[in-house]
Amino acid sequence: MTRYVAAIDQGTTSTRCILFDPAGAVVASAQEEHRQLFPRAGWVEHDPVEIWTNTREVVGLALARANAVAGDLAAVGLTNQRETAVVWDRHTGEPVYNAIVWQDTRTDAICQQLGELGGGADRYKDRTGLPLATYFAGPKVTWVLDNVDGARERAERGDLLMGTIDSWLLWNLTGGPDGGLHLTDVTNASRTLLMDLHTLQWDESIAGDLRIPTSMLPEIRSNSEVYGEGRKAGALAGVPVAGSLGDQQAATFGQVCFTPGTAKNTYGTGNFLLLNTGETAVRSENGLLTTVCYRLGEEQPVYALEGSIAVTGSLVQWLRDNLRVIGGAGEIEAVARSVEDNGGAYFVPAFSGLFAPHWRSDARGALVGLTRYVDRGHLARAVLESTAYQTREVVEAMDADSGVPLRELRVDGGMVVNELLMQFQADVLGVDVVRPRIAETTALGAAYAAGLAVGFWSGLDELTAQWAEDRRWTPSMPVEQRERYYRKWQKAVARTLDWVDEDD
């Protein structure tokens, strides 16, 4: 009798496998980090083969830790870093180049050239919900075809496949060159700049503009259905592969934001705030993305507004690894608590430009307001506070687009254990911040989607009943102080703009 649902959570810095029981509780898990490759300034890459190897290892280890075998699993779900793009050979399974990561900015010239042909940054926004930006997967594939010797000719012969990381893993999990399924789901497809939000199909004219042969594209499926079974040679042999969502949609699903107006914010490498807008794809007029939230089988799709922030948790890593101001990520709260405020220092981490709501690829990071008074504690505090300020910018844009002010913010991700940050977030927003009892919401969302597809869970009502609050932070900062701090933040952001020259 099946006892668990497994989730593979392939993130920006690591790959995890988590087993969940019927109550949505974690039974066992395993995690493996992968290398971050920076061949040039603004370039960020991952090795897809390393990611696939790590995926196999964490699946086997999680099963071992639960004393379980494939037969104990009702299904496996997948969630992934979304806009990261891979191109590989359909016959050998070999990638033709490293995966180009969502943070990478090398496609700026491609996006600029497309915008200059007409429509500017909003050229495809009515169809895709997205601006022309380096963030998305489609232009990354164009770059690979243009810059890897022989890649375009191989693609035009039909020898190459492309996809986001979900497609790469689904293909390998279900057999690879020996019959692997070339699929993606609506949430990941909506992040390529190639899918029509309204038809949920590839837009061949956009693919033509990007010079991507349609033979490379995976088939688009819903987020919750049986796609196939685990390959015979693997640890998941015969297990239904039945759920797939991009990581931020998976976290939204795991936070049971099933009704219009509910929202969550994930604090990870970056921050990603999603607001469920129901069956209506709301066009943003304030720098947000319109995206697919989820689709269950043949049901109508549910849409979301999203605010994507590039650098939050990774700024803490940068403080640790590049500046060595702290010895470990967990140390930053204690260092920040050594002072009462930021000492007048503001840190805008525009390392790869600014994402929502600005969408300025010409911005670069800045630490402003420095005096001789500022010390290590103030710097640590400015790093944490930058996450809260960036989140407020997105919340204000979301309130303007939706016309419905946020009442409370559900939070998840690695940074939500930082209680100083969570209290400051509540203070800066002026609304309650709520952390759920089960913190692994991204993996849980993938497990929920897979479990629904095979009847492991009965429906959304059962999942909603499982959600429970762990901790709530209520605003305590005076309004005048909150607004004064935020005005200083906005001045700091203005200092980062128009930094990159055309010849940089």
Side-chain angles (χ1 to χ4, degrees), residues 161-409:
L161 303 176
M162 64 79 71
T164 39
I165 292 290
D166 61 304
S167 295
W168 167 245
L169 292 183
L170 277 167
W171 189 78
N172 281 294
L173 283 168
T174 56
D178 301 319
L181 300 172
H182 189 214
L183 307 173
T184 190
D185 67 82
V186 289
T187 63
N188 276 293
S190 74
R191 314 300 292 202
T192 61
L193 203 66
L194 296 168
M195 190 192 82
D196 187 306
L197 268 185
H198 310 287
T199 65
L200 305 185
Q201 298 299 319
W202 299 120
D203 187 307
E204 294 189 8
S205 68
I206 299 178
D209 289 348
L210 286 167
R211 295 173 292 115
I212 297 174
T214 55
S215 60
M216 299 180 71
L217 301 174
E219 180 184 349
I220 301 174
R221 297 283 193 88
S222 80
N223 300 111
S224 179
E225 62 177 275
V226 177
Y227 310 120
E229 294 184 345
R231 65 196 181 103
K232 294 179 181 178
L236 296 173
V239 177
V241 183
S244 178
L245 302 99
D247 53 7
Q248 303 313 319
Q249 284 91 341
T252 308
F253 207 76
Q255 287 271 41
V256 300
C257 295
F258 301 142
T259 57
T262 52
K264 70 88 202 177
N265 197 26
T266 296
Y267 296 72
T269 302
N271 266 34
F272 303 88
L273 201 159
L274 270 73
L275 172 74
N276 183 324
T277 62
E279 295 179 5
T280 303
V282 176
R283 178 187 169 95
S284 174
E285 303 297 338
N286 294 279
L288 303 180
L289 309 178
T290 306
T291 194
V292 179
C293 193
Y294 60 86
R295 187 185 191 192
L296 305 179
E298 296 300 315
E299 294 181 12
Q300 287 295 309
V302 173
Y303 294 94
L305 282 170
E306 175 175 337
S308 306
I309 303 167
V311 178
T312 54
S314 57
L315 181 58
V316 177
Q317 295 174 327
W318 181 84
L319 197 70
R320 177 194 67 193
D321 299 338
N322 292 48
L323 297 191
R324 302 183 182 179
V325 171
I326 54 174
E331 186 183 331
I332 191 169
E333 182 171 3
V335 175
R337 284 189 183 278
S338 69
V339 294
E340 292 184 0
D341 55 32
N342 64 14
Y346 289 79
F347 202 146
V348 185
F351 293 158
S352 53
L354 290 170
F355 283 16
H358 306 282
W359 297 106
R360 292 288 295 265
S361 61
D362 63 327
R364 285 298 177 268
L367 177 58
V368 301
L370 293 180
T371 64
R372 286 288 300 272
Y373 172 69
V374 172
D375 64 14
R376 175 172 174 251
H378 297 118
L379 183 58
R381 196 161 187 124
V383 164
L384 291 179
E385 290 181 357
S386 71
T387 293
Y389 288 127
Q390 290 181 96
T391 297
R392 174 163 168 178
E393 290 181 318
V394 169
V395 167
E396 288 187 343
M398 203 160 274
D399 287 349
D401 276 335
S402 69
V404 181
L406 190 70
R407 301 299 183 193
E408 69 175 26
L409 185 64

